[in-house]
Amino acid sequence: MLARMLIRTATVEDWPAIWAFLRRIVAAGETYTYPRDLDEDRARDVWMPEPPSRTVVATDPDGTVLGSAKMNPNHMGPAAHIAGASFMVAPEHGGRGAGRALGEHVLEWARAEGYKAMQFNAVVESNIRAVALWRSLGFEVIGTVPKAFDHPTKGYVGLHIMHRFL
């Protein structure tokens, strides 16, 4: 785990660093349901949404962006008390605690904002590191949509719906 990791609100100045790893992760097609050829303008719209949503970055002491998370209401209207979130860590910075720190931060944010639960709608079941991280933070798989994700090397795999009360 990185000492003195900072998690802060993402700014427009952070976008080039986020885009650098987001583009690679999405193009790999292994963990996100975004189109592999997602262009930068659409990616920015998706990853940097307007309030009440929020995007944060995790940085090391020198300001290097290690990863990012976006958090948002998962539903509207009478189900708006359920939060959602998405996470990406730059592959070269994986395994250093940024994902866990971002996950803990997002859970704290959701509680402070008055959400009652958090739900992830599409965790690729073959993404075993993410599934293990979310389980360790109290999430449960409440269902799996079979063969819902076309993985580039594993073929069709399931998408987990993961949930936890706050």
Side-chain angles (χ1 to χ4, degrees):
M1 180 105 154
L2 286 170
R4 302 185 340 249
M5 183 184 314
L6 172 68
I7 297 179
R8 60 169 174 75
T9 299
T11 66
V12 294
E13 291 80 17
D14 294 316
W15 176 249
I18 296 169
W19 174 238
F21 59 82
L22 186 149
R23 177 183 59 231
R24 287 182 287 144
I25 291 168
V26 170
E30 297 176 348
T31 56
Y32 272 85
T33 60
Y34 300 151
R36 292 183 190 164
D37 62 351
L38 186 67
D39 67 60
E40 184 174 4
D41 289 337
R42 179 71 180 126
R44 186 183 308 106
D45 290 345
V46 168
W47 201 260
M48 305 282 281
E50 297 294 320
S53 301
R54 182 170 178 239
T55 302
V56 296
V57 290
T59 65
D60 68 9
D62 73 4
T64 300
V65 175
L66 309 172
S68 181
K70 70 172 186 125
M71 50 214 98
N72 49 272
N74 198 8
H75 302 287
M76 298 184 295
H81 60 283
I82 308 297
S86 297
F87 305 82
M88 286 195 192
V89 173
E92 62 274 18
H93 297 298
R96 297 170 60 190
R100 175 171 299 279
L102 286 164
E104 290 170 351
H105 178 86
V106 166
L107 288 169
E108 290 172 19
W109 170 85
R111 277 188 210 99
E113 291 294 311
Y115 289 98
K116 304 298 181 207
M118 183 167 281
Q119 176 181 316
F120 301 149
N121 299 326
V123 180
V124 178
E125 72 179 344
S126 59
N127 188 354
I128 57 174
R129 288 180 67 189
V131 172
L133 173 60
W134 305 138
R135 285 185 187 277
S136 77
L137 291 175
F139 286 84
E140 296 178 45
V141 174
I142 60 170
T144 302
V145 183
K147 298 185 178 186
F149 185 84
D150 188 6
H151 192 282
T153 60
K154 300 176 187 308
Y156 290 101
V157 298
L159 285 177
H160 290 321
I161 300 165
M162 298 188 78
H163 174 273
R164 72 158 284 171
F165 288 106
L166 297 174

